[in-house]
Amino acid sequence: MTDESQPFDHTGSTGARASSADKRGTDPVCGMKVAADGPHHVAHEGEEYRFCSAGCRKKFIAEPARYLAPTELKDPVCGMTVEPDGPHHVAHDGHDFHFCSAGCRTKFIAEPERYLSAEPEPADPALEGVPHVCPMHPDERSDGPADCGKCGMALEPEGAAVSQTKWTCPMHPEVVEDEPGDCPICGMALEAMTVLSADEPEEDPELRSMTRRFVVATILAVPLLVVSMGDMLPGAPISALLGARGRVLTEFLLATPIVVWAAWPFYVRAVKSVINRHLNMFTLIGLGVSVAYGYSLVATFAPQLFPESFRGHGGQVAVYFEAAGVIVALILLGQVLELRARAKTSGAIRALLELAPKTARRIADDGSETDVPLEHVRVGDRLRVRPGEKVPVDGTVLEGSSSVDEAMVTGEPLPVQKGTGDRVIGATVNGTGSLVVEAGAIGGDTLLARIVTMVADAQRTRAPIQKLADTVSGWFVPIVIVISAITFGVWALFGPEPAMTHALVNAVAVLIIACPCALGLATPMSIMVATGKAANLGVLFRDAEAIEVLRDVDTLVVDKTGTLTEGRPALVGVHPAEGVDEARLIRLAASLERGSEHPLAEAIVKGAEERGAELVDATEFESVTGKGVLGQIEDAAVALGNAALMEDRGVAIPKAMETDADAERARGRGVMWVAIDGALAGFVVVADPIKQTTAGALDALRAEGLHIVMLTGDAEATARAVADELGIEEVVAGVLPEGKVELVKRLKSEGRVVAMAGDGINDAPALALAHVGIAMGTGTDIAMESAGVTLVKGDLAGIVRARKLSRKTMANIRQNLFFAFAYNGVGVPIAAGVLYPVFGLLLSPMLAAAAMSFSSVSVIANALRLRAAKI
């Protein structure tokens, strides 16, 4: 036994060995460093061994000799077993250490003491008392860091652990399963409902599998096609080279791997479709390919079983290995293209995910700062955001001042100045200043996470028009099977010789060309592309229904505060009395208001600072309830408030200034009088300013025929002033949330298609009731949760963009449905042979498969055109 200070057996030149020498410092199974008082340990041959988890302990108990072998070397960085003669090693402190890779060797050289320390990494104190859960067994939980009792994995903080993932079909979101698999309705691979990490690979397992199968099928299908069609050349060169029997056997050898291995997923889905009583495209594919291959297999090895009617010239029974093989290759091509297209539609989500930083710099209670993984940040943590860094989570500025680039969420190129008390958004970029931020929303509660979730959810929903495609598909497959059976019967009874061969070939062609994959792709592909496009435009669709209905909206109900206006008061006017300097007036007024807690005080202070005023501290400050404030600024006695305060102070208000103030009040603005040394100095005007883009957006919406209604809880006079400035004729003011709901109900009962736009909690019921609820991204979470559409910038111009995209999307869906119905409507009769009596034209199963795949490609290509649409 070595001294306890030695974590590894340094004897000889073999470096870090997995032996009894390091049992107190290192897990003998995985090589991780463990604490001497850890909970996982076992006695073996008089020695006590400790482990990082219950899983490693179980492995050791099962095979102790395996983990105590003195010839095994452990990489001191990652704990992996390495070979003594490996290329990666380094001498340190008189000993030779071996590594699994150059990367581990580099880490060791940089910090050797870190990896030679017997003490485990210190636990994050902030995680103590935080609920932890196993990512593999969500029922295994603890109140702090621990290991799963089932699998031995380390439990993760609940906010960071992977929850029990549900899986859903992109075409049938009502299908939700606990495990990955295929949709029981359409047979498509289910997708994870949780949002993928930006670090995950672009290609999913199904795409990789289908790509491998397609590559193999293509490599074999090309020579299969040459062998089967080669005898059409003069002199029948293939049969001359291989012989008639050799040619058929060659086709069998080339086709079998394609039909048996490459097409296996199609058979599985076909069988499931029958079991689940949801016939779909894979029902037709599985039936058509298996019939063609099975027929050819019997014709090759048991031709004597066929009657004379199946035999062609020379007494040979025709085989269709090439049809079965090439059909599979073409269908696999369609699957690969479809899966790649679905992967591309997640580009907006992946781009959003990549905006999030991976770590945050947390400030401890003692003032020390450490970088921690983002998932370890908790609400209330103080975080340092240094110049040029991304804000890690949503929160509030506690200290510092800086400009922050919020283009990620607002689209505005100019940075926004942030100071104490201002809200900041995770993933936005800090400018040149340093900020201390209090974490207010983490994990799935941040704006970025909500945006990602909304886009992902919208891409998995269907528009009402999709019900048409589903209904048609439900009837289409059994009808096609009946048509195929009728085709076989008619050709077998009335077709030219070899009648049975023609019957089989045409029946299979009907099954293949009728595959409704294009029909199933028509709507979802357009919806997925449109939601991704909308996200880039600052418009988030919650579901596909909102996309479809928005284009038909004829009435827009808008809240005033925060929707038409900025939602916060601002200094909009300064009216000095005769002989008073405007700059001095605003400087004294703002300096006095710095000591006030009135909601409008901040607007005056901020407005003065924007005008370049240098504020000073007030003395003898006094607040007069219901009237205003008093104080001494430098050598002047200043009073600021309403007319009652001026009357109390004996300050006369000239008639002309009273008239000017009344004009401001008529516009819904607030007026506050200012007196200096007992004489009226003027008044300042505070109001909730109208957003700069509101007027233009409303004009554009009216030009499209929309009727605009303002709905607000504010007073009639204030509401009318804003409405007159914006040209809104119908105004409903002074209403509570119940009144807003009643108005929406009334408009709907009149047959109007109503959209409601708002930003507050009081708007949420009306947003949920309207045909389409539109929330301002600058508003409350409840409003956004209640709406079908969120405008990230809080700009009504987004409605104009959203309606244009809605119209283009629905036009694209109609085009896709036309492609799907046209291919199937024209292709099935041709495949059945209706043109043969007049033109002698037949459609082989191979050409039918090509036509079917081309229909899917047409739909996919047409849907992807939306990505380039100009909105």
Side-chain angles (χ1 to χ4, degrees):
M1 295 289 294
T2 61
D3 183 76
E4 283 205 25
S5 64
Q6 296 296 326
F8 302 102
D9 180 8
H10 297 328
T11 58
S13 61
T14 53
R17 294 183 179 275
S19 69
S20 60
D22 52 359
K23 60 181 177 297
R24 283 168 292 187
T26 306
D27 184 326
V29 175
C30 67
M32 290 184 62
K33 290 172 284 297
V34 293
D37 57 351
H40 307 295
H41 55 90
V42 67
H44 176 73
E45 294 184 352
E47 298 290 348
E48 189 80 9
Y49 296 89
R50 296 190 178 273
F51 309 88
C52 68
S53 66
C56 283
R57 181 179 180 274
K58 291 177 183 177
K59 292 179 181 178
F60 180 86
I61 293 174
E63 300 179 274
R66 173 185 175 186
Y67 301 106
L68 295 179
T71 56
E72 264 191 3
L73 293 178
K74 295 285 187 177
D75 183 327
V77 175
C78 67
M80 289 184 61
T81 301
V82 293
E83 296 297 328
D85 56 351
H88 308 294
H89 56 91
V90 67
H92 174 73
D93 198 19
H95 304 288
D96 196 17
F97 295 90
H98 293 255
F99 307 88
C100 67
S101 65
C104 283
R105 179 180 181 274
T106 302
K107 291 180 180 179
F108 181 86
I109 293 173
E111 301 178 275
E113 297 308 318
R114 173 185 174 185
Y115 300 106
L116 295 180
S117 171
E119 295 300 322
E121 293 284 341
D124 187 346
L127 297 181
E128 294 297 335
V130 175
H132 281 56
V133 63
C134 176
M136 301 301 294
H137 302 94
D139 55 323
E140 291 288 316
R141 310 172 68 86
S142 76
D143 293 332
D147 298 320
C148 175
K150 293 182 178 179
C151 64
M153 289 184 64
L155 304 187
E156 298 180 358
E158 189 167 22
V162 179
S163 61
Q164 184 72 26
T165 302
K166 297 291 185 181
W167 301 78
T168 187
C169 174
M171 294 189 187
H172 300 91
E174 68 273 18
V175 175
V176 178
E177 302 289 347
D178 292 332
E179 297 179 352
D182 300 323
C183 174
I185 298 177
C186 66
M188 288 186 65
L190 301 180
E191 294 180 347
M193 295 181 70
T194 52
V195 180
L196 297 177
S197 166
D199 296 329
E200 294 192 20
E202 292 283 348
E203 292 188 350
D204 58 44
E206 188 194 16
L207 176 56
R208 289 195 296 271
S209 174
M210 287 295 181
T211 302
R212 285 196 302 267
R213 295 175 191 274
F214 168 67
V215 170
V216 172
T218 302
I219 291 173
L220 295 175
V222 171
L224 174 62
L225 193 61
V226 172
V227 171
S228 63
M229 298 297 182
D231 278 359
M232 298 177 66
L233 298 173
I238 301 299
S239 291
L241 178 64
L242 302 175
R245 181 66 175 169
R247 178 180 62 80
V248 173
L249 291 175
T250 301
E251 290 185 39
F252 162 73
L253 293 173
L254 290 170
T256 298
I258 302 175
V259 175
V260 174
W261 177 76
W264 184 254
F266 304 153
Y267 302 137
V268 173
R269 296 176 185 181
V271 171
K272 287 183 179 179
S273 72
V274 176
I275 295 174
N276 297 323
R277 298 181 181 179
H278 285 289
L279 304 183
N280 53 49
M281 57 179 277
F282 296 104
T283 314
L284 298 181
I285 294 171
L287 188 59
V289 172
S290 59
V291 168
Y293 180 77
Y295 166 85
S296 301
L297 196 64
V298 176
T300 299
F301 296 102
Q304 69 277 6
L305 299 179
F306 287 84
E308 289 299 323
S309 59
F310 275 74
R311 301 179 183 276
H313 297 291
Q316 295 288 328
V317 180
V319 295
Y320 292 92
F321 287 121
E322 89 287 349
V326 175
I327 285 169
V328 171
L330 290 171
I331 294 171
L332 284 168
L333 171 62
Q335 289 288 296
V336 170
L337 292 175
E338 173 194 326
L339 290 169
R340 285 184 178 176
R342 282 165 56 184
K344 287 182 180 179
T345 59
S346 65
I349 295 177
R350 195 169 298 280
L352 289 170
L353 285 167
E354 289 174 348
L355 293 173
K358 300 297 185 293
T359 62
R361 190 166 186 83
R362 186 167 58 199
I363 304 175
D365 293 339
D366 61 2
S368 62
E369 300 181 7
T370 55
D371 290 329
V372 298
L374 193 62
E375 57 267 23
H376 289 179
V377 174
R378 295 290 171 262
V379 173
D381 283 353
R382 291 187 303 151
L383 308 174
R384 172 81 65 186
V385 185
R386 291 169 292 191
E389 290 184 337
K390 290 184 177 181
V391 178
V393 295
D394 296 0
T396 304
V397 177
L398 297 177
E399 300 175 17
S401 176
S402 181
S403 59
V404 178
D405 182 359
E406 295 186 340
M408 182 272 290
V409 291
T410 66
E412 295 292 343
L414 296 178
V416 180
Q417 190 68 29
K418 299 290 183 180
T420 302
D422 289 336
R423 292 178 59 189
V424 289
I425 301 171
T428 55
V429 182
N430 186 25
T432 57
S434 178
L435 299 174
V436 175
V437 175
E438 180 181 17
I442 61 174
D445 295 330
T446 63
L447 176 61
L448 177 63
R450 295 201 305 272
I451 291 173
V452 170
T453 300
M454 290 176 69
V455 174
D457 289 345
Q459 289 188 341
R460 285 194 298 267
T461 59
R462 298 175 300 164
I465 196 173
Q466 174 69 17
K467 297 176 182 177
L468 171 64
D470 288 347
T471 301
V472 172
S473 295
W475 287 96
F476 186 74
V477 174
I479 289 174
V480 166
I481 292 176
V482 171
I483 293 175
S484 179
I486 293 174
T487 299
F488 182 87
V490 171
W491 278 92
L493 294 174
F494 306 107
E497 294 299 331
M500 295 302 292
T501 299
H502 282 107
L504 181 67
V505 170
N506 290 328
V508 171
V510 169
L511 293 174
I512 296 302
I513 200 170
C515 177
C517 52
L519 189 64
L521 286 171
T523 300
M525 279 301 305
S526 297
I527 293 298
M528 287 191 291
V529 176
T531 51
K533 174 76 173 180
N536 291 330
L537 295 173
V539 179
L540 305 176
F541 287 108
R542 175 175 296 280
D543 51 43
E545 183 175 358
I547 298 179
E548 180 173 345
V549 176
L550 189 59
R551 67 183 179 130
D552 298 322
V553 167
D554 56 28
T555 302
L556 175 64
V557 179
V558 289
D559 173 55
K560 180 184 75 70
T561 306
T563 303
L564 298 176
T565 67
E566 295 287 352
R568 57 181 181 274
L571 180 66
V572 295
V574 180
H575 294 258
E578 185 175 353
V580 176
D581 179 62
E582 178 178 328
R584 182 169 184 260
L585 170 64
I586 187 60
R587 187 174 73 87
L588 294 179
S591 295
L592 180 61
E593 284 285 40
R594 276 212 303 186
S596 173
E597 296 180 356
H598 192 279
L600 299 183
E602 182 182 352
I604 296 175
V605 172
K606 186 175 181 180
E609 291 174 343
E610 290 173 350
R611 288 166 167 79
E614 295 183 4
L615 307 187
V616 296
D617 293 332
T619 59
E620 302 178 22
F621 180 84
E622 179 184 357
S623 176
V624 183
T625 304
K627 295 182 179 180
V629 291
L630 309 171
Q632 190 77 17
I633 309 294
E634 296 174 337
D635 296 330
V638 183
L640 185 150
N642 55 24
L645 180 66
M646 297 298 106
E647 185 178 351
D648 290 347
R649 307 296 294 176
V651 178
I653 300 176
K655 186 67 175 178
M657 295 208 73
E658 185 68 53
T659 301
D660 291 341
D662 288 342
E664 294 289 356
R665 293 190 189 99
R667 299 175 64 185
R669 298 177 170 182
V671 173
M672 283 172 284
W673 300 99
V674 181
I676 301 176
D677 292 331
L680 185 72
F683 64 89
V684 294
V685 183
V686 177
D688 183 7
I690 295 173
K691 295 178 181 179
Q692 294 182 354
T693 57
T694 297
L698 294 181
D699 289 342
L701 292 169
R702 276 191 287 259
E704 293 185 0
L706 267 69
H707 175 61
I708 310 296
V709 180
M710 179 196 288
L711 184 62
T712 179
D714 276 359
E716 179 79 19
T718 303
R720 277 290 173 192
V722 174
D724 292 343
E725 187 170 348
L726 294 174
I728 300 174
E729 297 180 359
E730 185 173 350
V731 178
V732 180
V735 293
L736 298 174
E738 294 82 357
K740 296 185 177 184
V741 170
E742 290 302 319
L743 175 65
V744 173
K745 284 183 178 178
R746 176 174 66 80
L747 293 172
K748 291 174 69 176
S749 67
E750 295 173 358
R752 297 176 180 270
V753 181
V754 181
M756 167 71 187
D759 75 323
I761 296 175
N762 60 335
D763 299 319
L767 290 171
L769 181 64
H771 289 105
V772 182
I774 303 172
M776 302 294 109
T778 52
T780 64
D781 294 345
I782 293 179
M784 287 187 277
E785 291 296 327
S786 304
V789 179
T790 296
L791 306 179
V792 174
K793 293 172 59 177
D795 177 3
L796 288 179
I799 299 178
V800 181
R801 297 192 293 271
R803 279 172 58 84
K804 289 180 179 179
L805 181 61
S806 173
R807 286 192 292 269
K808 288 182 179 292
T809 302
M810 296 314 299
N812 192 270
I813 290 174
R814 286 193 296 270
Q815 294 162 4
N816 286 347
L817 290 174
F818 170 78
F819 284 136
F821 284 123
Y823 276 112
N824 289 322
V826 174
V828 169
I830 294 176
V834 296
L835 298 181
Y836 183 79
V838 180
F839 301 102
L841 179 62
L842 290 176
L843 196 64
S844 75
M846 184 172 58
L847 294 177
M852 181 275 296
S853 294
F854 185 70
S855 68
S856 297
V857 172
S858 300
V859 166
I860 293 170
N862 189 56
L864 289 176
R865 287 194 311 112
L866 279 173
R867 299 171 65 191
K870 294 182 178 180
I871 306 298

